[in-house]
Amino acid sequence: NSLIHDPLASRLLAGETHLLQPASANEEYMTMRALIGDELALSQHAQGVRQVVSLGAGMDSRAFRLDLADTVFFEVDKAGLFDMKEPLLADVPLTCAGRRTVVGTLGEIDLRAALESAGFDSSKPTTWLMEGLLPYLTVDVLKQTAADLGGLSAPGSALWGDAFSKTAVDRGMVFHGVPFASGFDNYDEVFRAAGFDHAEAMDFAVQGDAR
């Protein structure tokens, strides 16, 4: 049985339905990270947070499936991604108060200006999601992004992102032929330095062994 009910999965894969098959080692990892993102968005909602920002959103479908009717979702990604994604979703109803697409590449755009022009309110707490993003940011861009998020986050904000250690990335890790740009052994310290009061790193390998 699926741990995540995503009725849009087949549509968003644009015909590449073989990627839905649990044949690869990536399937469990990707399921786990999506569950953590879902759980954070839902737990933050229970605390009164009503805006969710997905950086490097990709095919994120939470605006269509989490049933957070009073929440606005912001998705930040490149123009090419939205050019492919939006036609696939044209006839799909939202289950949230609103969905805003923000076009741009981290490290190149003014994140504050781009989000605020889409209706983002930095005076209100935010749930930040960065699934599958951090390893593709250079060291400098990741540190700048962390600082930007710290400056945009009102009290009560929270974030989640998955990444790999510097040791692993330095060995030449790639995903679907694309090499990772950076890895850190202290992501928790990076985000604490950016202003988040509490940050911790979780080892997926240990979590998997513990189940």
Side-chain angles (χ1 to χ4, degrees), residues 93-104:
L94 294 169
T95 65
C96 62
R99 173 177 174 262
R100 312 283 186 261
T101 58
V102 179
V103 176

Side-chain angles (χ1 to χ4, degrees), residues 171-190:
R171 292 184 183 136
M173 291 186 70
V174 299
F175 185 69
H176 288 289
V178 180
F180 290 158
S182 70
F184 285 71
D185 293 325
N186 62 337
Y187 285 98
D188 50 345
E189 295 176 12
V190 171

Side-chain angles (χ1 to χ4, degrees), residues 29-175:
Y29 171 81
M30 295 177 75
T31 298
M32 185 182 295
R33 77 180 189 188
L35 280 171
I36 293 172
D38 285 2
E39 290 170 1
L40 179 63
L42 293 170
S43 65
Q44 284 286 97
H45 181 267
Q47 298 298 316
V49 179
R50 297 296 183 264
Q51 56 186 6
V52 177
V53 179
S54 181
L55 301 175
M59 293 301 181
D60 189 316
S61 62
R62 292 183 175 90
F64 301 91
R65 63 180 177 80
L66 286 190
D67 295 321
L68 300 181
D70 54 0
T71 297
V72 177
F73 287 77
F74 299 85
E75 298 181 14
V76 182
D77 215 315
K78 299 179 180 180
L81 183 283
F82 291 122
D83 288 344
M84 176 176 61
K85 182 177 183 180
E86 297 312 291
L88 299 173
L89 299 172
D91 62 345
V92 181
L94 294 169
T95 65
C96 62
R99 173 177 174 262
R100 312 283 186 261
T101 58
V102 179
V103 176
T105 300
L106 294 176
E108 299 177 6
I109 64 169
D110 181 330
L111 186 59
R112 174 183 289 274
L115 284 171
E116 289 181 346
S117 67
F120 175 83
D121 187 348
S122 61
S123 71
K124 298 179 180 179
T126 304
T127 301
W128 302 96
L129 302 176
M130 302 174 290
E131 291 179 18
L133 171 69
L134 299 181
Y136 297 103
L137 303 181
T138 65
V139 169
D140 289 343
V141 171
L142 188 145
K143 289 182 177 179
Q144 183 59 56
T145 298
D148 289 344
L149 300 191
L152 289 168
S153 296
S157 297
L159 60 83
W160 150 250
D162 60 305
F164 296 87
S165 69
K166 183 178 186 302
T167 301
V169 173
D170 285 349
R171 292 184 183 136
M173 291 186 70
V174 299
F175 185 69

